[in-house]
Amino acid sequence: MPLPKISEARELSDEQLAAEIVATKKQLFQLRLQKATRQLEKPHQFRHARHRLAQLLTVEGERKRAASQTPKQEN
């Protein structure tokens, strides 16, 4: 399974982006729980989930910075 593309995260709306961030954090929690109880079968899922979370947070930060800069330029 290849790593997710950041272009997919950029296509999401703000609400979808926030929901995806929450879902990815929950997935990471479940993976840590499985690891602690020695039930984790696919350890590569950690890397994919962390990568996806980083992408989502990056896109969220880009949008926040763009929104905060736009009003300053209009004045």
Side-chain angles (χ1 to χ4, degrees):
M1 182 172 130
L3 291 172
K5 305 286 183 196
I6 196 162
S7 60
E8 296 170 2
R10 287 194 171 111
E11 294 172 359
L12 298 173
S13 69
D14 290 340
E15 295 82 22
Q16 291 172 327
L17 186 66
E20 190 74 23
I21 289 171
V22 170
T24 305
K25 286 183 178 183
K26 285 182 181 180
Q27 180 186 12
L28 276 169
F29 175 78
Q30 291 297 325
L31 288 170
R32 284 194 303 270
L33 187 64
Q34 288 177 3
K35 183 179 179 184
T37 59
R38 297 181 185 222
Q39 296 175 350
L40 185 64
E41 295 179 12
K42 299 178 181 177
H44 70 278
Q45 289 177 334
F46 271 111
R47 181 177 184 206
H48 290 280
R50 284 194 322 262
H51 185 83
R52 182 69 175 162
L53 182 61
Q55 289 176 335
L56 294 169
L57 292 174
T58 298
V59 171
E60 184 181 49
E62 288 173 349
R63 289 183 184 178
K64 285 181 180 178
R65 282 189 298 278
S68 67
Q69 290 176 356
T70 304
K72 291 180 184 176
Q73 293 174 352
E74 292 176 358
N75 290 332

